[in-house]
Amino acid sequence: MRVSIFGLGYVGAVCTASLAHRGHQVMGVDVSPVKIDLINQGKSPIVEPGLEELLSEGRQAGRIEGMTEGYLAVQETELSMICVGTPSKANGDLDLQYVENVCRDIGVALKDKGDWHLVVVRSTVLPGTVRDLVIPVLEEVSGKRAGVDFGICVNPEFLRESTAIHDYDQPPMTVIGELDARSGDLLAKMYEDLDAPIVRKPIEVAEMIKYTCNVWHATKVSFANEIGNIAKSLGVDGRDVMDVVCQDSKLNISRYYMRPGFAFGGSCLPKDVRALSYRASQMDVRHPLLSSIMSSNDEQVAHAFNIVTGYGRRKIGMLGLSFKANTDDLRESPLVELAEMLIGKGYDLQIFDRNVDYARTYGANRDYINHKIPHLANLMESDLRGVIDHADVIVVGNNDELFETVIAEVPEGKRVVDLVGFMKTASNDVLEGICW
């Protein structure tokens, strides 16, 4: 494939060398004559193990050419990849001037190009950037239409400095955010020889994936550091602790706790977070990440309350009171907290939970229900259909399979708030998800 790459910094130089190594013809574009001279000499403009060898190989094979003007590069290639920097502004926002400048250069070339052309944004940009900046600039300058006269994709990179060549050749996945199938098909073809799954999503999803991955990595570093600091203060080697933690791939290193939704609860997580945070404070160990966990959890309950009450309707039906299905345990259930917030504001609330209803009469939690939350016990109903008929807003609170049918068949005139994830689509006029 014939590819033009705009921006020959860290990402652009690695992509240029790696694509050429895999047999593609690459035209590299940069405003810096110094970088272009180095590329055309087969030398690396950055320090990265193995990069210079691949650039030299590509130049000798005639598969790499560097230039400062992008017009010819667009005319002579099928695909243009934007790899320019997106540095931070003083307020933390992204500085997108380089992305905009490149889009204008590409737009000028597209105006005079007869063939369909694919523009790929490899630079890290926030969700909405392609829709609100890249496409409008390209269309304005070229006089052509995205999705008709040219294609658009987002293709976030997952390259770590010092191991970038290896990461390019063996990525965890290749993410393609596509404007349309034609755009995605062409970009997927370029990566078909890589041994990694190709994930094709809408543009905004791909933009968000990159930020989510990076923030998650940063969170893991901070988490491990805080655990290490607390462990050391207690005479424990934090490396030994985290080494064992990382051996658990069923829960600790898995997708189990990585699904957006409602707040966590139960008899373990809230209690243990508070206890470790308290002990760290006793030892005078700062732990800003861990100490923020409970307040973040409280914010998710408040977020659900705002969604439920935002409809301006007074009759609420809550399906589920225990923090998850198949248990009658109400200790630290965020649904109990949500219910208390609703009745505290005078809402007409009815609650259905078949496991809690059983426990209220027979179970081991009978005393807890009758003595700790009698104000909620009085709102419990045994008839699911009766609660649904009563409510103007139905809150699906836990993942009891009975409640999935409510999502599928919403009674006319009612609204459903899904805190679990039964919904297969994003929020609409009838169904609203807490995170989707």
Side-chain angles (χ1 to χ4, degrees):
M1 191 176 296
R2 293 173 291 116
V3 181
S4 52
I5 293 182
F6 286 75
L8 295 176
Y10 175 74
V11 173
V14 171
C15 291
T16 295
S18 297
L19 284 169
H21 179 66
R22 292 180 172 276
H24 300 283
Q25 293 290 136
V26 185
M27 302 182 78
V29 183
D30 200 284
V31 295
S32 169
V34 175
K35 289 183 181 179
I36 297 304
D37 288 343
L38 288 170
I39 291 290
N40 286 333
Q41 293 175 48
K43 296 181 179 180
S44 177
I46 61 172
V47 175
E48 178 64 36
L51 179 57
E52 188 154 308
E53 290 81 354
L54 290 188
L55 287 171
S56 177
E57 170 195 289
R59 276 297 290 169
Q60 292 177 21
R63 290 195 291 267
I64 295 177
E65 181 181 358
M67 59 190 65
T68 56
E69 296 295 331
Y71 185 90
L72 178 63
V74 174
Q75 297 294 330
E76 296 294 326
T77 58
E78 307 163 65
L79 181 159
S80 292
M81 186 172 286
I82 299 174
C83 296
V84 296
T86 53
S88 293
K89 295 180 180 179
N91 64 359
D93 194 9
L94 291 184
D95 186 344
L96 297 173
Q97 63 172 315
Y98 305 117
V99 172
E100 181 175 352
N101 291 342
V102 165
C103 287
R104 292 191 179 281
D105 290 343
I106 294 174
V108 170
L110 289 179
K111 184 176 183 179
D112 297 333
K113 184 169 184 176
D115 297 333
W116 184 88
H117 191 84
L118 177 61
V119 179
V120 178
V121 179
R122 188 90 155 142
S123 301
T124 300
V125 294
L126 287 165
T129 301
V130 170
R131 297 277 185 186
D132 299 337
L133 175 69
V134 173
I135 290 176
V137 170
L138 288 171
E139 289 184 333
E140 174 193 352
V141 176
S142 69
K144 296 183 176 180
R145 292 166 53 199
V148 177
D149 305 304
F150 63 90
I152 291 285
C153 281
V154 171
N155 181 212
E157 48 82 17
F158 302 99
L159 306 175
R160 297 168 295 173
E161 294 183 38
S162 80
T163 60
I165 301 300
H166 174 273
D167 291 344
Y168 187 97
D169 291 335
Q170 300 182 47
M173 58 187 171
T174 298
V175 176
I176 296 174
E178 58 191 47
L179 181 66
D180 52 27
R182 183 181 184 184
S183 299
D185 288 345
L186 181 60
L187 186 55
K189 181 180 178 182
M190 191 174 76
Y191 290 119
E192 61 187 5
D193 61 336
L194 290 179
D195 185 18
I198 294 178
V199 180
R200 295 171 64 168
K201 294 288 183 180
I203 282 175
E204 290 80 6
V205 173
E207 290 171 318
M208 188 64 185
I209 285 171
K210 171 64 174 178
Y211 278 93
T212 303
C213 289
N214 280 357
V215 173
W216 174 227
H217 299 329
T219 302
K220 288 183 287 186
V221 172
S222 296
F223 175 82
N225 288 342
E226 289 191 8
I227 291 295
N229 294 339
I230 296 171
K232 181 181 178 181
S233 75
L234 299 171
V236 176
D237 190 329
R239 296 171 299 179
D240 289 343
V241 173
M242 290 307 299
D243 180 62
V244 176
V245 167
C246 292
Q247 291 180 41
D248 178 0
S249 59
K250 291 185 177 180
L251 294 178
N252 292 340
I253 312 297
S254 74
R255 60 186 300 170
Y256 186 82
Y257 293 111
M258 296 291 289
R259 298 181 178 92
F262 195 39
F264 61 78
S267 60
C268 296
L269 296 187
K271 172 180 68 69
D272 292 345
V273 170
R274 282 194 291 264
L276 186 60
S277 182
Y278 177 77
R279 179 54 60 88
S281 297
Q282 282 187 314
M283 305 300 292
D284 291 328
V285 178
R286 292 174 59 85
H287 53 291
L289 177 64
L290 298 185
S291 65
S292 70
I293 291 174
M294 292 309 300
S295 60
S296 176
N297 205 50
D298 292 341
E299 283 295 325
Q300 196 68 346
V301 178
H303 179 44
F305 175 81
N306 290 335
I307 291 175
V308 174
T309 59
Y311 291 105
R313 303 186 181 190
R314 306 301 299 180
K315 293 183 177 181
I316 311 296
M318 180 175 288
L319 309 186
L321 190 61
S322 61
F323 76 102
K324 64 179 180 180
N326 300 318
T327 179
D328 62 351
D329 194 349
L330 298 175
R331 291 173 294 174
E332 302 273 9
S333 172
L335 291 170
V336 170
E337 185 177 350
L338 176 60
E340 290 179 329
M341 293 170 69
L342 288 168
I343 62 175
K345 292 295 184 181
Y347 284 86
D348 182 357
L349 177 65
Q350 291 187 3
I351 304 169
F352 173 86
D353 188 314
R354 55 179 170 175
N355 293 305
V356 175
D357 193 50
Y358 175 89
R360 187 170 51 151
T361 305
Y362 305 105
N365 281 323
R366 177 180 177 180
D367 287 342
Y368 180 89
I369 296 169
N370 290 336
H371 294 97
K372 296 292 185 180
I373 54 169
H375 51 302
L376 294 184
N378 293 332
L379 303 177
M380 298 291 301
E381 300 290 340
S382 300
D383 179 15
L384 173 59
R385 177 50 57 184
V387 172
I388 292 173
D389 290 343
H390 161 82
D392 293 322
V393 179
I394 304 165
V395 181
V396 179
N398 70 30
N399 58 341
D400 189 320
E401 61 186 12
L402 283 178
F403 305 152
E404 191 166 10
T405 58
V406 178
I407 296 291
E409 302 173 3
V410 180
E412 185 176 355
K414 299 182 184 293
R415 298 292 180 267
V416 174
V417 177
D418 180 11
L419 305 181
V420 180
F422 283 131
M423 293 168 56
K424 305 304 181 185
T425 59
S427 298
N428 53 49
D429 292 338
V430 176
L431 300 170
E432 182 164 3
I434 188 170
C435 292
W436 45 88

